[in-house]
Amino acid sequence: MRDLIDEEEKIVKEYEPELLQKVKKLLMMSKNGTLHVHALRLIRRELGLPEDFRDSILRTHSKDFRLVDLEIVELVDRNESLAKAEVEKWREKEYVDKWLSEFETSYAFPINFPTGFKIEGGYREKLKNWQRLPYLKPYESKEVLRVRTCGGIERFEKRAVGIIHELLSLTVEKMLEVDRLAHFRKDFAIEVNVCELLLKHPGIFYICTKGSTQTVFLREAYSKGCLAFPNPIYVVRSKMLDLILLGHRNTRSLEDLQEIKEERNGSVFRTNVGVRRDGDLIVPILDSYDQNAFGSLGDINDSKQPFDGCESGRN
């Protein structure tokens, strides 16, 4: 685990230019080019930012950022080459590969309905019209949108969908806790009911309600339960998770079979620690015949057949 933590820190340092661009893009999406540092701190790990990002990124790159006060960061120089949302790549691909018109793709989003999703009558037509509906894109100038005008509410909500879509695209695992999105509502000028908005678009977002926390995932980013295009930070964190899920299984058996060299009388002893402590996994003691019959303890644990004790193994 220590090696994986060091590897993650090394990757974060190597990807500092990319992380710098992420913060820039978030500031470019904001209404006034400013963000609350507290909001960034809440999603620091999701963005892949280092723990000391305030000093290592915001203060160090004074040509790009300016700390207005303790809790406000401002963008100094806007880079228009970064003003392109991730969804635009999908739109260009759809335009080229499927020979669709710009009218069909310019404001569309990838839709992936969940298995068993029931499409009611008239829903397809409504969705088709919504896909064509123009809206103020995340990096476009923040003009005042009149909600009461024709299609104003729909365009305002679609702009909010576009900003949340882009924010999720900038994260490591394309996911965020719904509660943390609320901290960006004012800065991004998306003062809507975020949870209700996400539920209205099940083909774009997936909300997981496991436990007491609601987490939103970007559907298009996942395939068969895994990230379709994993990044290095995601890979090393997946290794950490796999290691944690292993727990302490088999560690006692590995210790019992490990040769410990001692210089006592120049002899080498094979220790068999038999003292039981609270929390220890009780493993039946196997003689040489039992070991040949069962194989290693790892084989037993990996077997799909139930393990009922020594007698069932011999049979």
Side-chain angles (χ1 to χ4, degrees):
M1 179 59 77
R2 181 69 257 178
D3 292 340
L4 290 174
I5 292 173
D6 293 340
E7 184 181 349
E8 182 187 15
E9 292 176 354
K10 181 181 178 182
I11 292 172
V12 168
K13 289 181 180 178
E14 291 175 353
Y15 275 74
E16 185 172 314
E18 184 176 331
L19 299 177
L20 186 67
Q21 289 184 359
K22 284 186 179 182
V23 178
K24 275 187 175 182
K25 296 184 81 167
L26 289 173
L27 287 164
M28 288 170 63
M29 281 197 293
S30 65
K31 181 170 59 176
N32 300 317
T34 60
L35 282 176
H36 286 77
V37 178
H38 174 68
L40 286 175
R41 191 178 296 114
L42 287 175
I43 64 170
R44 173 194 67 80
R45 182 167 175 80
E46 285 80 357
L47 291 173
L49 297 174
E51 190 173 355
D52 62 340
F53 75 95
R54 182 191 181 91
D55 296 322
S56 61
I57 292 182
L58 301 184
R59 288 188 184 277
T60 304
H61 300 276
S62 56
K63 293 182 179 179
D64 301 305
F65 312 112
R66 178 169 55 245
L67 288 168
V68 179
D69 55 36
L70 293 176
E71 283 301 319
I72 301 292
V73 59
E74 183 181 14
L75 182 65
V76 175
D77 184 23
R78 183 182 174 90
N79 187 352
E80 293 300 330
S81 64
L82 298 176
K84 185 177 181 179
E86 288 295 313
V87 72
E88 295 294 341
K89 298 177 182 178
W90 174 83
R91 289 168 180 167
E92 291 175 0
K93 192 173 184 299
E94 291 289 295
Y95 176 76
V96 173
D97 294 350
K98 296 186 178 180
W99 292 65
L100 298 175
S101 65
E102 291 186 13
F103 178 67
E104 298 287 343
T105 60
S106 293
Y107 300 98
F109 287 88
I111 303 293
N112 300 283
F113 289 116
T115 304
F117 182 78
K118 185 177 180 181
I119 299 178
E120 299 178 354
Y123 182 80
R124 289 185 183 276
E125 189 64 26
K126 290 181 181 178
L127 178 61
K128 191 174 182 180
N129 293 332
W130 186 86
Q131 289 279 62
R132 295 172 175 174
L133 182 68
Y135 70 99
L136 195 64
K137 296 182 179 181
Y139 299 109
E140 291 180 350
S141 59
K142 306 300 181 290
E143 300 174 358
V144 178
L145 182 64
R146 297 179 180 179
V147 178
R148 295 185 179 181
T149 57
C150 182
I153 295 177
E154 289 79 7
R155 294 186 185 191
F156 183 79
E157 289 186 349
K158 191 169 183 179
R159 176 181 172 273
V161 169
I163 288 179
I164 295 174
H165 185 284
E166 180 66 4
L167 177 57
L168 291 174
S169 298
L170 295 175
T171 61
V172 173
E173 300 181 50
K174 318 305 177 189
M175 53 164 279
L176 272 177
E177 290 184 15
V178 175
D179 290 342
R180 298 184 180 184
L181 283 173
H183 291 270
F184 292 89
R185 290 170 64 228
K186 288 186 178 181
D187 290 334
F188 288 158
I190 52 171
E191 298 187 48
V192 296
N193 187 321
V194 176
C195 189
E196 183 179 331
L197 180 70
L198 297 174
L199 290 172
K200 287 176 66 175
H201 300 279
I204 302 175
F205 307 111
Y206 167 71
I207 295 183
C208 174
T209 56
K210 186 177 181 180
S212 59
T213 303
Q214 289 184 327
T215 306
V216 57
F217 292 79
L218 198 59
R219 279 194 180 275
E220 69 198 68
Y222 281 81
S223 176
K224 297 181 180 180
C226 299
L227 206 61
F229 301 100
N231 51 74
I233 299 178
Y234 172 82
V235 171
V236 71
R237 287 181 181 175
S238 297
K239 293 178 182 178
M240 289 182 184
L241 180 60
D242 292 340
L243 190 59
I244 291 171
L245 292 177
L246 280 176
H248 63 278
R249 289 177 293 178
N250 295 336
T251 53
R252 171 62 64 190
S253 61
L254 292 175
E255 289 176 4
D256 292 346
L257 296 176
Q258 184 181 18
E259 286 188 356
I260 301 178
K261 293 184 179 180
E262 298 182 358
E263 296 183 356
R264 187 182 304 170
N265 299 327
S267 300
V268 177
F269 297 92
R270 180 183 294 271
T271 62
N272 186 10
V273 183
V275 181
R276 181 183 173 188
R277 296 178 297 184
D278 291 340
D280 284 351
L281 177 65
I282 301 176
V283 180
I285 300 174
L286 309 178
D287 55 24
S288 58
Y289 174 80
D290 293 329
Q291 291 180 6
N292 293 331
F294 284 116
S296 66
L297 290 173
D299 293 335
I300 294 174
N301 292 332
D302 292 338
S303 174
K304 295 182 180 179
Q305 299 298 327
F307 173 53
D308 298 325
C310 296
E311 292 300 323
S312 62
R314 284 200 182 100
N315 296 334

